[in-house]
Amino acid sequence: MPRDKELVELVSPIAFRAATRVIERIEAKSISFDAAFQETMQEFKLSAEEQKISFLLAKRTLENIGPPIYLLRKNNKQDLPLRRKGAFYVAFYLASSSPSFTLDRIRALRGGLVSDSLLNLLTPRNLDRLFNELEEMPITLRLSYKESVPPLIVETFLSRFGEKATPEILKSLRYRQVWVRLNDTERKDWLEDYLKRKGFRFRQDKDYPYLLEILPTQEIPLPSLPPEIATYQDKASIIAVEALISLRPKGVIVDLAAAPCMKASLLCRKIDHDAILLVDISEKRTRACIEIMKATNCNYQVINSDGRFFSSSKLFSAAVVDAPCTNSGAISRDPGLRLALWSLRREDLSRMKQVQLELLTNALKLVHRGALVLYSTCSLFPEEGEEVISSLKIPIKPLQPFLPPNIERTIHKTCGYCYRLYPHVHRTDGFFFSILSPR
């Protein structure tokens, strides 16, 4: 893939428009970068090279989204139509990344999406003034805008790691972490050959041999994988499931926020169990869940229902609550979250926490005394982890699972047997999990 200076020289009008549409979709629909890119490629008929340039242009724009967000707000332009706003973000990246990329070049690319008044904000003099202003801001805003990380995430890191360590941690979030879970060990050679042909380098994980780590230097679109052979699943999620497996769950298991069923499909493959009941509120996501589970050959049932209110006449032997959350922990592998979470507020976290608390409370009521309940979120925020556990009204006993020595040594232990993983330490998503048992 081209480097930044080479990239800006290769950008064409159609690549500019495609990158703009990717960013527009992320802000309009709060979907992942990869999903927005795939949708956009369905709309545009691009060559393979144009797809790579559009992918990297959209990715680089999102990785540098902080300064143009500030520039629009400073000039009372934050309420622009989403497509024009996305085009301005792309134009800002181009204008700020290379002195040779003049405003005349942007005029040739913009196709009417960036007005002259917006373009005038991108003169070298205005950009110099902007970056000088960022240096004078209080530390949370300064780091947020400069490193293009949503303010609440910066605030959380500063609280947890301090002012000295946080800047380097934020820089580390630019490295994409991607893991592939091998579902059919007999097809390992096929998978490795397939990934090599798609241009990926990888290495086998030392803790879980059925995991492959895609090396983070590669910045190309991820290929689709046949679910019967392999699936994308972050190592943090694997660690949480393996922790539950180490405590030997048996019988009938219920998953109250099951889709897309990555954890459930791994449980099915790894343990002896009678059945697993998969509950999820989203009909669309439960359909996707079925496709994943078909490849497992295990006994399962899918129910489209709100896990907070799901009831059963019989108690379960174990439960999984991979609760809906901000997904903030995935920011290193999904640059779209830099934009989607920018305006996140504490009030939003409080509402999310209430949903998570209701799901976990119901799970603890649905299992018999002494049963296992895994609670997890792909989140960096204590509101979606530790604070959910501490807010429970049901008597619980936290359990200590077995973890591989390397993980046991480096994992962050917070509230009793609450565990956190971080991108800059574990090369995973930011992740929280705890295994509980009702007393």
Short mmCIF file of all heavy atoms in Angstrom, two decimals, residues 59-121:
data_model
loop_
_atom_site.label_atom_id
_atom_site.label_comp_id
_atom_site.label_asym_id
_atom_site.label_seq_id
_atom_site.Cartn_x
_atom_site.Cartn_y
_atom_site.Cartn_z
N LYS A 59 -9.56 5.52 5.65
CA LYS A 59 -8.96 5.12 6.93
C LYS A 59 -8.07 6.23 7.48
O LYS A 59 -8.16 6.59 8.66
CB LYS A 59 -8.15 3.84 6.74
CG LYS A 59 -7.54 3.27 8.02
CD LYS A 59 -6.88 1.93 7.72
CE LYS A 59 -6.35 1.29 9.02
NZ LYS A 59 -5.17 2.00 9.53
N ARG A 60 -7.22 6.81 6.63
CA ARG A 60 -6.34 7.88 7.08
C ARG A 60 -7.14 9.11 7.52
O ARG A 60 -6.78 9.79 8.48
CB ARG A 60 -5.38 8.27 5.95
CG ARG A 60 -4.25 7.29 5.75
CD ARG A 60 -3.24 7.42 6.90
NE ARG A 60 -2.10 6.55 6.65
CZ ARG A 60 -2.00 5.31 7.10
NH1 ARG A 60 -2.99 4.79 7.83
NH2 ARG A 60 -0.95 4.57 6.84
N THR A 61 -8.20 9.40 6.80
CA THR A 61 -9.04 10.54 7.19
C THR A 61 -9.60 10.33 8.59
O THR A 61 -9.58 11.25 9.42
CB THR A 61 -10.19 10.71 6.17
OG1 THR A 61 -9.64 11.03 4.89
CG2 THR A 61 -11.13 11.83 6.60
N LEU A 62 -10.09 9.13 8.87
CA LEU A 62 -10.67 8.84 10.19
C LEU A 62 -9.61 8.85 11.28
O LEU A 62 -9.87 9.28 12.41
CB LEU A 62 -11.39 7.49 10.15
CG LEU A 62 -12.68 7.48 9.33
CD1 LEU A 62 -13.09 6.06 9.00
CD2 LEU A 62 -13.80 8.20 10.08
N GLU A 63 -8.42 8.38 10.96
CA GLU A 63 -7.34 8.37 11.95
C GLU A 63 -6.86 9.78 12.28
O GLU A 63 -6.15 9.97 13.28
CB GLU A 63 -6.17 7.53 11.44
CG GLU A 63 -6.47 6.04 11.40
CD GLU A 63 -5.40 5.25 10.68
OE1 GLU A 63 -4.60 5.84 9.94
OE2 GLU A 63 -5.36 4.01 10.88
N ASN A 64 -7.25 10.75 11.46
CA ASN A 64 -6.86 12.15 11.68
C ASN A 64 -8.10 13.05 11.75
O ASN A 64 -8.06 14.21 11.33
CB ASN A 64 -5.93 12.60 10.55
CG ASN A 64 -4.62 11.83 10.54
OD1 ASN A 64 -3.69 12.15 11.27
ND2 ASN A 64 -4.55 10.79 9.72
N ILE A 65 -9.18 12.53 12.31
CA ILE A 65 -10.47 13.20 12.27
C ILE A 65 -10.60 14.33 13.29
O ILE A 65 -11.44 15.23 13.15
CB ILE A 65 -11.62 12.16 12.48
CG1 ILE A 65 -12.95 12.68 11.93
CG2 ILE A 65 -11.74 11.78 13.95
CD1 ILE A 65 -13.04 12.68 10.45
N GLY A 66 -9.75 14.34 14.33
CA GLY A 66 -9.90 15.33 15.40
C GLY A 66 -9.77 16.78 14.96
O GLY A 66 -10.68 17.60 15.20
N PRO A 67 -8.68 17.17 14.30
CA PRO A 67 -8.52 18.58 13.90
C PRO A 67 -9.64 19.12 13.01
O PRO A 67 -10.12 20.23 13.27
CB PRO A 67 -7.16 18.58 13.19
CG PRO A 67 -6.40 17.47 13.85
CD PRO A 67 -7.43 16.40 14.08
N PRO A 68 -10.11 18.39 11.98
CA PRO A 68 -11.21 18.97 11.19
C PRO A 68 -12.52 19.06 11.96
O PRO A 68 -13.33 19.95 11.69
CB PRO A 68 -11.34 18.03 9.98
CG PRO A 68 -10.71 16.75 10.40
CD PRO A 68 -9.60 17.16 11.34
N ILE A 69 -12.75 18.15 12.92
CA ILE A 69 -13.94 18.29 13.77
C ILE A 69 -13.86 19.61 14.53
O ILE A 69 -14.84 20.38 14.60
CB ILE A 69 -14.06 17.10 14.75
CG1 ILE A 69 -14.49 15.84 14.00
CG2 ILE A 69 -15.07 17.41 15.87
CD1 ILE A 69 -14.56 14.60 14.87
N TYR A 70 -12.69 19.90 15.11
CA TYR A 70 -12.52 21.16 15.83
C TYR A 70 -12.67 22.36 14.90
O TYR A 70 -13.32 23.35 15.25
CB TYR A 70 -11.15 21.20 16.50
CG TYR A 70 -10.81 22.55 17.07
CD1 TYR A 70 -11.51 23.05 18.18
CD2 TYR A 70 -9.82 23.35 16.50
CE1 TYR A 70 -11.22 24.30 18.70
CE2 TYR A 70 -9.53 24.59 17.01
CZ TYR A 70 -10.23 25.07 18.11
OH TYR A 70 -9.95 26.32 18.62
N LEU A 71 -12.11 22.27 13.71
CA LEU A 71 -12.17 23.39 12.77
C LEU A 71 -13.60 23.72 12.37
O LEU A 71 -13.98 24.90 12.30
CB LEU A 71 -11.33 23.07 11.53
CG LEU A 71 -11.11 24.19 10.52
CD1 LEU A 71 -10.50 25.42 11.19
CD2 LEU A 71 -10.24 23.70 9.37
N LEU A 72 -14.42 22.70 12.14
CA LEU A 72 -15.83 22.94 11.81
C LEU A 72 -16.57 23.57 12.99
O LEU A 72 -17.37 24.49 12.82
CB LEU A 72 -16.51 21.64 11.37
CG LEU A 72 -16.14 21.09 9.99
CD1 LEU A 72 -16.93 19.82 9.71
CD2 LEU A 72 -16.41 22.12 8.90
N ARG A 73 -16.33 23.04 14.19
CA ARG A 73 -17.00 23.59 15.37
C ARG A 73 -16.58 25.03 15.62
O ARG A 73 -17.41 25.88 15.97
CB ARG A 73 -16.71 22.71 16.59
CG ARG A 73 -17.37 21.35 16.51
CD ARG A 73 -17.11 20.51 17.75
NE ARG A 73 -17.83 19.24 17.67
CZ ARG A 73 -17.82 18.32 18.61
NH1 ARG A 73 -17.10 18.51 19.72
NH2 ARG A 73 -18.50 17.20 18.46
N LYS A 74 -15.32 25.30 15.44
CA LYS A 74 -14.81 26.65 15.66
C LYS A 74 -15.48 27.66 14.72
O LYS A 74 -15.73 28.82 15.10
CB LYS A 74 -13.30 26.65 15.43
CG LYS A 74 -12.65 28.03 15.48
CD LYS A 74 -11.19 27.95 15.06
CE LYS A 74 -10.59 29.34 14.95
NZ LYS A 74 -9.20 29.30 14.46
N ASN A 75 -15.83 27.21 13.52
CA ASN A 75 -16.43 28.10 12.52
C ASN A 75 -17.94 27.90 12.39
O ASN A 75 -18.54 28.33 11.40
CB ASN A 75 -15.75 27.89 11.17
CG ASN A 75 -14.33 28.42 11.14
OD1 ASN A 75 -14.09 29.59 10.91
ND2 ASN A 75 -13.35 27.53 11.39
N ASN A 76 -18.55 27.25 13.41
CA ASN A 76 -20.00 27.03 13.43
C ASN A 76 -20.50 26.31 12.18
O ASN A 76 -21.57 26.62 11.65
CB ASN A 76 -20.74 28.36 13.61
CG ASN A 76 -20.45 29.01 14.95
OD1 ASN A 76 -20.44 28.34 15.98
ND2 ASN A 76 -20.19 30.30 14.93
N LYS A 77 -19.73 25.34 11.73
CA LYS A 77 -20.09 24.58 10.53
C LYS A 77 -20.37 23.11 10.87
O LYS A 77 -20.45 22.26 9.99
CB LYS A 77 -18.96 24.64 9.50
CG LYS A 77 -18.57 26.05 9.04
CD LYS A 77 -19.61 26.64 8.11
CE LYS A 77 -19.11 27.94 7.49
NZ LYS A 77 -20.13 28.54 6.60
N GLN A 78 -20.53 22.79 12.14
CA GLN A 78 -20.65 21.39 12.55
C GLN A 78 -21.95 20.74 12.11
O GLN A 78 -22.08 19.51 12.13
CB GLN A 78 -20.49 21.25 14.07
CG GLN A 78 -21.62 21.87 14.89
CD GLN A 78 -21.33 23.32 15.24
OE1 GLN A 78 -20.57 23.99 14.57
NE2 GLN A 78 -21.95 23.79 16.32
N ASP A 79 -22.94 21.55 11.68
CA ASP A 79 -24.23 20.99 11.27
C ASP A 79 -24.36 20.86 9.76
O ASP A 79 -25.48 20.80 9.22
CB ASP A 79 -25.37 21.86 11.82
CG ASP A 79 -25.43 21.86 13.34
OD1 ASP A 79 -25.13 20.79 13.92
OD2 ASP A 79 -25.74 22.90 13.94
N LEU A 80 -23.27 20.79 9.07
CA LEU A 80 -23.29 20.57 7.63
C LEU A 80 -24.01 19.25 7.31
O LEU A 80 -24.00 18.31 8.12
CB LEU A 80 -21.87 20.47 7.08
CG LEU A 80 -21.03 21.74 6.94
CD1 LEU A 80 -19.60 21.34 6.56
CD2 LEU A 80 -21.62 22.65 5.89
N PRO A 81 -24.62 19.12 6.12
CA PRO A 81 -25.10 17.81 5.68
C PRO A 81 -23.97 16.79 5.74
O PRO A 81 -22.80 17.11 5.49
CB PRO A 81 -25.55 18.06 4.24
CG PRO A 81 -25.87 19.52 4.20
CD PRO A 81 -24.91 20.18 5.13
N LEU A 82 -24.30 15.56 6.09
CA LEU A 82 -23.27 14.57 6.37
C LEU A 82 -22.32 14.32 5.20
O LEU A 82 -21.12 14.12 5.40
CB LEU A 82 -23.91 13.24 6.81
CG LEU A 82 -24.66 13.28 8.14
CD1 LEU A 82 -25.15 11.88 8.50
CD2 LEU A 82 -23.79 13.83 9.25
N ARG A 83 -22.83 14.34 3.98
CA ARG A 83 -21.94 14.08 2.85
C ARG A 83 -20.94 15.20 2.67
O ARG A 83 -19.76 14.96 2.42
CB ARG A 83 -22.74 13.87 1.56
CG ARG A 83 -21.87 13.35 0.41
CD ARG A 83 -22.70 12.87 -0.75
NE ARG A 83 -23.61 11.82 -0.33
CZ ARG A 83 -24.47 11.21 -1.15
NH1 ARG A 83 -24.51 11.54 -2.43
NH2 ARG A 83 -25.27 10.27 -0.70
N ARG A 84 -21.39 16.43 2.82
CA ARG A 84 -20.47 17.56 2.70
C ARG A 84 -19.48 17.57 3.85
O ARG A 84 -18.31 17.93 3.68
CB ARG A 84 -21.27 18.88 2.65
CG ARG A 84 -22.09 19.02 1.37
CD ARG A 84 -22.79 20.37 1.29
NE ARG A 84 -23.57 20.49 0.07
CZ ARG A 84 -23.07 20.85 -1.10
NH1 ARG A 84 -21.79 21.15 -1.21
NH2 ARG A 84 -23.84 20.93 -2.18
N LYS A 85 -19.96 17.19 5.01
CA LYS A 85 -19.04 17.12 6.16
C LYS A 85 -17.97 16.05 5.92
O LYS A 85 -16.78 16.27 6.16
CB LYS A 85 -19.83 16.80 7.43
CG LYS A 85 -19.01 16.99 8.71
CD LYS A 85 -19.73 16.48 9.94
CE LYS A 85 -21.00 17.27 10.24
NZ LYS A 85 -21.59 16.83 11.54
N GLY A 86 -18.40 14.89 5.42
CA GLY A 86 -17.44 13.83 5.12
C GLY A 86 -16.42 14.26 4.08
O GLY A 86 -15.23 13.97 4.20
N ALA A 87 -16.89 14.99 3.06
CA ALA A 87 -15.97 15.48 2.03
C ALA A 87 -14.98 16.48 2.61
O ALA A 87 -13.80 16.48 2.23
CB ALA A 87 -16.77 16.12 0.90
N PHE A 88 -15.44 17.30 3.54
CA PHE A 88 -14.52 18.25 4.17
C PHE A 88 -13.46 17.51 4.98
O PHE A 88 -12.27 17.90 4.96
CB PHE A 88 -15.30 19.22 5.08
CG PHE A 88 -14.41 20.20 5.79
CD1 PHE A 88 -13.91 21.32 5.13
CD2 PHE A 88 -14.05 20.00 7.12
CE1 PHE A 88 -13.07 22.21 5.78
CE2 PHE A 88 -13.21 20.89 7.78
CZ PHE A 88 -12.73 22.01 7.10
N TYR A 89 -13.85 16.46 5.69
CA TYR A 89 -12.88 15.68 6.45
C TYR A 89 -11.80 15.11 5.52
O TYR A 89 -10.61 15.15 5.84
CB TYR A 89 -13.56 14.53 7.19
CG TYR A 89 -14.49 14.94 8.30
CD1 TYR A 89 -15.57 14.14 8.66
CD2 TYR A 89 -14.30 16.12 9.01
CE1 TYR A 89 -16.42 14.49 9.70
CE2 TYR A 89 -15.16 16.48 10.04
CZ TYR A 89 -16.22 15.67 10.38
OH TYR A 89 -17.07 16.02 11.39
N VAL A 90 -12.23 14.57 4.37
CA VAL A 90 -11.27 14.02 3.42
C VAL A 90 -10.37 15.13 2.87
O VAL A 90 -9.14 14.96 2.77
CB VAL A 90 -12.00 13.29 2.26
CG1 VAL A 90 -10.99 12.79 1.23
CG2 VAL A 90 -12.82 12.12 2.79
N ALA A 91 -10.96 16.25 2.51
CA ALA A 91 -10.18 17.38 1.99
C ALA A 91 -9.18 17.87 3.02
O ALA A 91 -8.03 18.21 2.68
CB ALA A 91 -11.12 18.51 1.58
N PHE A 92 -9.58 17.91 4.30
CA PHE A 92 -8.66 18.33 5.36
C PHE A 92 -7.46 17.41 5.42
O PHE A 92 -6.31 17.86 5.51
CB PHE A 92 -9.37 18.35 6.71
CG PHE A 92 -8.48 18.84 7.83
CD1 PHE A 92 -8.52 20.16 8.24
CD2 PHE A 92 -7.59 17.98 8.47
CE1 PHE A 92 -7.68 20.62 9.25
CE2 PHE A 92 -6.76 18.43 9.48
CZ PHE A 92 -6.80 19.75 9.87
N TYR A 93 -7.71 16.10 5.38
CA TYR A 93 -6.59 15.16 5.44
C TYR A 93 -5.62 15.41 4.28
O TYR A 93 -4.40 15.46 4.46
CB TYR A 93 -7.08 13.71 5.41
CG TYR A 93 -5.95 12.76 5.15
CD1 TYR A 93 -4.98 12.52 6.12
CD2 TYR A 93 -5.81 12.15 3.90
CE1 TYR A 93 -3.90 11.69 5.87
CE2 TYR A 93 -4.73 11.31 3.65
CZ TYR A 93 -3.78 11.09 4.63
OH TYR A 93 -2.71 10.28 4.37
N LEU A 94 -6.16 15.58 3.08
CA LEU A 94 -5.30 15.79 1.92
C LEU A 94 -4.50 17.09 2.04
O LEU A 94 -3.30 17.12 1.76
CB LEU A 94 -6.16 15.81 0.65
CG LEU A 94 -6.80 14.47 0.27
CD1 LEU A 94 -7.78 14.67 -0.88
CD2 LEU A 94 -5.73 13.45 -0.12
N ALA A 95 -5.18 18.16 2.47
CA ALA A 95 -4.52 19.46 2.56
C ALA A 95 -3.46 19.49 3.66
O ALA A 95 -2.44 20.18 3.53
CB ALA A 95 -5.56 20.56 2.80
N SER A 96 -3.68 18.76 4.74
CA SER A 96 -2.77 18.82 5.88
C SER A 96 -1.66 17.78 5.83
O SER A 96 -0.67 17.89 6.56
CB SER A 96 -3.55 18.64 7.19
OG SER A 96 -4.18 17.36 7.23
N SER A 97 -1.80 16.76 4.96
CA SER A 97 -0.82 15.68 4.98
C SER A 97 0.35 15.92 4.05
O SER A 97 1.40 15.27 4.19
CB SER A 97 -1.50 14.36 4.59
OG SER A 97 -2.03 14.44 3.28
N SER A 98 0.20 16.82 3.08
CA SER A 98 1.29 17.07 2.14
C SER A 98 1.28 18.53 1.68
O SER A 98 0.27 18.99 1.13
CB SER A 98 1.16 16.15 0.92
OG SER A 98 2.13 16.48 -0.05
N PRO A 99 2.37 19.27 1.89
CA PRO A 99 2.43 20.68 1.44
C PRO A 99 2.22 20.84 -0.06
O PRO A 99 1.77 21.88 -0.53
CB PRO A 99 3.84 21.12 1.85
CG PRO A 99 4.25 20.15 2.90
CD PRO A 99 3.59 18.85 2.57
N SER A 100 2.53 19.78 -0.82
CA SER A 100 2.39 19.88 -2.27
C SER A 100 0.96 19.71 -2.75
O SER A 100 0.66 19.95 -3.92
CB SER A 100 3.27 18.82 -2.95
OG SER A 100 2.82 17.51 -2.62
N PHE A 101 0.09 19.30 -1.82
CA PHE A 101 -1.31 19.09 -2.22
C PHE A 101 -2.06 20.41 -2.06
O PHE A 101 -2.56 20.75 -0.99
CB PHE A 101 -1.96 17.98 -1.38
CG PHE A 101 -3.09 17.31 -2.10
CD1 PHE A 101 -2.86 16.20 -2.88
CD2 PHE A 101 -4.39 17.80 -2.03
CE1 PHE A 101 -3.88 15.57 -3.57
CE2 PHE A 101 -5.41 17.19 -2.72
CZ PHE A 101 -5.16 16.06 -3.49
N THR A 102 -2.17 21.16 -3.12
CA THR A 102 -2.73 22.51 -3.08
C THR A 102 -4.24 22.49 -3.09
O THR A 102 -4.87 21.47 -3.41
CB THR A 102 -2.23 23.32 -4.29
OG1 THR A 102 -2.75 22.70 -5.48
CG2 THR A 102 -0.71 23.34 -4.34
N LEU A 103 -4.83 23.64 -2.77
CA LEU A 103 -6.28 23.76 -2.81
C LEU A 103 -6.80 23.60 -4.23
O LEU A 103 -7.94 23.14 -4.43
CB LEU A 103 -6.72 25.10 -2.22
CG LEU A 103 -6.38 25.33 -0.74
CD1 LEU A 103 -7.08 26.58 -0.23
CD2 LEU A 103 -6.77 24.12 0.12
N ASP A 104 -6.00 23.96 -5.22
CA ASP A 104 -6.42 23.74 -6.60
C ASP A 104 -6.59 22.24 -6.89
O ASP A 104 -7.50 21.84 -7.64
CB ASP A 104 -5.39 24.33 -7.57
CG ASP A 104 -5.47 25.86 -7.64
OD1 ASP A 104 -6.54 26.41 -7.27
OD2 ASP A 104 -4.48 26.49 -8.05
N ARG A 105 -5.73 21.42 -6.30
CA ARG A 105 -5.87 19.96 -6.46
C ARG A 105 -7.19 19.50 -5.86
O ARG A 105 -7.87 18.65 -6.43
CB ARG A 105 -4.70 19.24 -5.78
CG ARG A 105 -3.35 19.43 -6.43
CD ARG A 105 -3.17 18.57 -7.67
NE ARG A 105 -3.43 17.16 -7.41
CZ ARG A 105 -2.56 16.32 -6.85
NH1 ARG A 105 -1.36 16.76 -6.47
NH2 ARG A 105 -2.86 15.06 -6.70
N ILE A 106 -7.54 20.04 -4.70
CA ILE A 106 -8.81 19.64 -4.06
C ILE A 106 -9.99 20.11 -4.91
O ILE A 106 -10.99 19.39 -5.03
CB ILE A 106 -8.88 20.20 -2.63
CG1 ILE A 106 -7.77 19.58 -1.77
CG2 ILE A 106 -10.26 19.89 -2.01
CD1 ILE A 106 -7.70 20.11 -0.37
N ARG A 107 -9.88 21.28 -5.49
CA ARG A 107 -10.96 21.77 -6.37
C ARG A 107 -11.20 20.79 -7.52
O ARG A 107 -12.34 20.59 -7.95
CB ARG A 107 -10.61 23.15 -6.90
CG ARG A 107 -10.72 24.27 -5.88
CD ARG A 107 -10.58 25.64 -6.53
NE ARG A 107 -10.65 26.68 -5.51
CZ ARG A 107 -9.59 27.24 -4.93
NH1 ARG A 107 -8.36 26.84 -5.28
NH2 ARG A 107 -9.74 28.17 -4.02
N ALA A 108 -10.14 20.20 -8.00
CA ALA A 108 -10.26 19.25 -9.11
C ALA A 108 -10.88 17.92 -8.67
O ALA A 108 -11.39 17.17 -9.50
CB ALA A 108 -8.90 19.00 -9.73
N LEU A 109 -10.86 17.64 -7.37
CA LEU A 109 -11.37 16.37 -6.85
C LEU A 109 -12.77 16.47 -6.27
O LEU A 109 -13.52 15.49 -6.25
CB LEU A 109 -10.44 15.85 -5.74
CG LEU A 109 -9.02 15.47 -6.10
CD1 LEU A 109 -8.24 15.17 -4.83
CD2 LEU A 109 -9.00 14.26 -7.03
N ARG A 110 -13.15 17.64 -5.78
CA ARG A 110 -14.29 17.77 -4.87
C ARG A 110 -15.64 17.50 -5.51
O ARG A 110 -16.59 17.13 -4.81
CB ARG A 110 -14.29 19.16 -4.25
CG ARG A 110 -14.47 20.29 -5.27
CD ARG A 110 -14.44 21.65 -4.63
NE ARG A 110 -14.50 22.72 -5.64
CZ ARG A 110 -14.61 24.01 -5.33
NH1 ARG A 110 -14.66 24.36 -4.06
NH2 ARG A 110 -14.65 24.90 -6.29
N GLY A 111 -15.80 17.74 -6.80
CA GLY A 111 -17.07 17.47 -7.46
C GLY A 111 -18.25 18.20 -6.86
O GLY A 111 -19.36 17.66 -6.81
N GLY A 112 -18.06 19.39 -6.36
CA GLY A 112 -19.15 20.16 -5.78
C GLY A 112 -19.45 19.85 -4.32
O GLY A 112 -20.35 20.45 -3.73
N LEU A 113 -18.70 18.94 -3.72
CA LEU A 113 -18.98 18.53 -2.34
C LEU A 113 -18.38 19.46 -1.29
O LEU A 113 -18.85 19.49 -0.15
CB LEU A 113 -18.46 17.10 -2.10
CG LEU A 113 -19.20 15.98 -2.83
CD1 LEU A 113 -18.48 14.66 -2.63
CD2 LEU A 113 -20.65 15.88 -2.33
N VAL A 114 -17.34 20.19 -1.63
CA VAL A 114 -16.69 21.11 -0.70
C VAL A 114 -16.80 22.52 -1.26
O VAL A 114 -16.23 22.83 -2.31
CB VAL A 114 -15.21 20.73 -0.48
CG1 VAL A 114 -14.58 21.66 0.57
CG2 VAL A 114 -15.07 19.28 -0.05
N SER A 115 -17.54 23.39 -0.56
CA SER A 115 -17.74 24.76 -1.05
C SER A 115 -16.46 25.57 -0.96
O SER A 115 -15.52 25.21 -0.24
CB SER A 115 -18.84 25.44 -0.23
OG SER A 115 -18.40 25.63 1.10
N ASP A 116 -16.43 26.69 -1.67
CA ASP A 116 -15.26 27.57 -1.61
C ASP A 116 -15.03 28.11 -0.21
O ASP A 116 -13.89 28.26 0.24
CB ASP A 116 -15.42 28.73 -2.60
CG ASP A 116 -15.23 28.28 -4.05
OD1 ASP A 116 -14.60 27.23 -4.26
OD2 ASP A 116 -15.72 28.99 -4.95
N SER A 117 -16.13 28.40 0.51
CA SER A 117 -15.98 28.93 1.88
C SER A 117 -15.33 27.89 2.79
O SER A 117 -14.51 28.24 3.66
CB SER A 117 -17.33 29.37 2.44
OG SER A 117 -18.21 28.27 2.55
N LEU A 118 -15.68 26.61 2.61
CA LEU A 118 -15.04 25.56 3.40
C LEU A 118 -13.60 25.35 2.95
O LEU A 118 -12.71 25.14 3.78
CB LEU A 118 -15.82 24.25 3.27
CG LEU A 118 -17.17 24.17 3.98
CD1 LEU A 118 -17.88 22.88 3.63
CD2 LEU A 118 -16.99 24.27 5.49
N LEU A 119 -13.38 25.42 1.66
CA LEU A 119 -12.03 25.23 1.14
C LEU A 119 -11.08 26.30 1.67
O LEU A 119 -9.90 26.03 1.94
CB LEU A 119 -12.08 25.26 -0.39
CG LEU A 119 -10.97 24.51 -1.12
CD1 LEU A 119 -10.92 23.05 -0.70
CD2 LEU A 119 -11.18 24.62 -2.63
N ASN A 120 -11.59 27.50 1.85
CA ASN A 120 -10.75 28.59 2.35
C ASN A 120 -10.28 28.37 3.79
O ASN A 120 -9.34 29.01 4.24
CB ASN A 120 -11.51 29.92 2.25
CG ASN A 120 -11.64 30.39 0.81
OD1 ASN A 120 -10.82 30.03 -0.04
ND2 ASN A 120 -12.66 31.19 0.53
N LEU A 121 -10.98 27.48 4.51
CA LEU A 121 -10.52 27.13 5.86
C LEU A 121 -9.24 26.31 5.83
O LEU A 121 -8.58 26.16 6.87
CB LEU A 121 -11.61 26.35 6.61
CG LEU A 121 -12.96 27.04 6.86
CD1 LEU A 121 -13.92 26.09 7.56
CD2 LEU A 121 -12.76 28.31 7.69
#
